[in-house]
Amino acid sequence: MGSVPVIQAGVSYYGSGLGLSINAMATHMEVLKGHADNIANFGIPGYRKETPHVTTFAEYLGPNGVEVSKSNEIGRLRQTNLPLDLALAEEGFFRVQDAKTARVSQTRDGRFMLQKDGLMTTITGQYVLNELGQPIRITHAPSDLKKGLKIDEHGILSVMDESSGKFSPVGRLSVVDEAGQKAAKIDVKQGFIEDSNVMLQDEFVGIIPLRRHFEANRQVFMIQNDNLSKLISELGRS
């Protein structure tokens, strides 16, 4: 991971002094928040790390001068052998829908479940959508999902008829790109989940210079504040 630009402590000696010191510290805190979020979500499957970028004139803009981009790097695929654990080996997202608000969103967290009514949901209860934008429902779910449910690399779900032993397709997962359009490449892996693409060592290494620069700016602020207090005190005596 490339180093994150930071406002150097020395910048606080110029311009408006106290204001620049405060903006520098606020900017460092905003960048630090990005690292903290990545660390906190390290264990969430499908989570994509956020990379903060400090823009030009950030010393004047403060935290408003920090832009965040999400990494498209695919995390490590970990085998679970669970039939409803799915991972995407290419860029893209599963489309899901909130059960209460009907709001459609996207996720790479493929830890799915099958409810008693046959609806496929995420572990948080969102409906998993098919390519027509409708919730996937398996009306005659096999008693043994490991043997009776297959999901191929194209996202096609097939269920085994337990009386004949034959598989029949019952739907296809909706896999889309960031714009919500059908993904150009679809490669679904059944029995796998995608770990987050966060590298903890990179996050902790990135925090070290931020803390150093924050402390330097804090010291500059304290010196400036003390000098200002002395000036005001002397003016009061005159």
Side-chain angles (χ1 to χ4, degrees):
M1 184 182 74
S3 60
V4 177
V6 295
I7 298 174
Q8 301 298 325
V11 76
S12 298
Y13 287 109
Y14 305 98
S16 59
L18 287 172
L20 288 177
S21 293
I22 293 171
N23 275 346
M25 289 188 288
T27 301
H28 295 143
M29 290 299 295
E30 187 67 19
V31 176
L32 182 62
K33 179 180 178 294
H35 289 291
D37 287 344
N38 289 339
I39 293 171
N41 290 286
F42 169 73
I44 303 299
Y47 175 81
R48 298 194 301 162
K49 68 179 178 182
E50 298 181 345
T51 304
H53 304 277
V54 180
T55 62
T56 308
F57 304 119
E59 63 266 34
Y60 302 103
L61 297 172
N64 293 323
V66 178
E67 296 179 349
V68 177
S69 63
K70 285 186 176 289
S71 169
N72 289 325
E73 184 180 351
I74 297 172
R76 182 176 66 91
L77 302 189
R78 176 162 49 89
Q79 189 169 13
T80 65
N81 291 320
L82 297 176
L84 289 174
D85 276 352
L86 306 177
L88 294 173
E90 297 283 350
E91 292 184 18
F93 303 88
F94 299 109
R95 271 207 309 170
V96 297
Q97 183 180 50
D98 189 278
K100 294 181 180 179
T101 66
R103 178 178 175 273
V104 175
S105 58
Q106 301 168 178
T107 183
R108 287 186 67 89
D109 185 352
R111 295 174 294 173
F112 298 147
M113 304 173 62
L114 198 63
Q115 304 299 330
K116 292 181 179 180
D117 57 4
L119 283 170
M120 185 183 293
T121 68
T122 66
I123 61 170
T124 57
Q126 294 174 301
Y127 299 138
V128 181
L129 300 182
N130 62 21
E131 59 184 347
L132 300 177
Q134 301 170 337
I136 293 176
R137 187 191 296 270
I138 300 177
T139 53
H140 300 290
S143 55
D144 187 345
L145 290 179
K146 283 189 176 182
K147 294 181 179 179
L149 177 64
K150 289 183 179 180
I151 303 173
D152 69 12
E153 66 272 20
H154 304 294
I156 298 175
L157 292 84
S158 298
V159 174
M160 182 181 71
D161 183 333
E162 295 183 322
S163 61
S164 65
K166 295 182 178 180
F167 282 86
S168 299
V170 295
R172 184 174 185 175
L173 292 162
S174 176
V175 180
V176 297
D177 58 21
E178 287 189 298
Q181 302 299 315
K182 183 178 178 180
K185 294 182 179 180
I186 299 176
D187 189 0
V188 178
K189 301 295 185 184
Q190 185 180 18
F192 288 80
I193 60 173
E194 178 194 3
D195 287 332
S196 72
N197 61 5
V198 175
M199 300 293 289
L200 283 180
Q201 61 269 32
D202 289 344
E203 302 305 321
F204 286 117
V205 168
I207 288 174
I208 294 172
L210 288 172
R211 295 179 62 182
R212 185 185 307 123
H213 292 308
F214 179 89
E215 182 59 26
N217 274 288
R218 190 179 74 86
Q219 292 296 332
V220 171
F221 173 82
M222 291 173 65
I223 292 171
Q224 293 172 332
N225 189 55
D226 288 343
N227 290 339
L228 182 60
S229 296
K230 292 176 182 178
L231 177 60
I232 293 174
S233 178
E234 291 175 1
L235 288 175
R237 296 193 190 101
S238 60

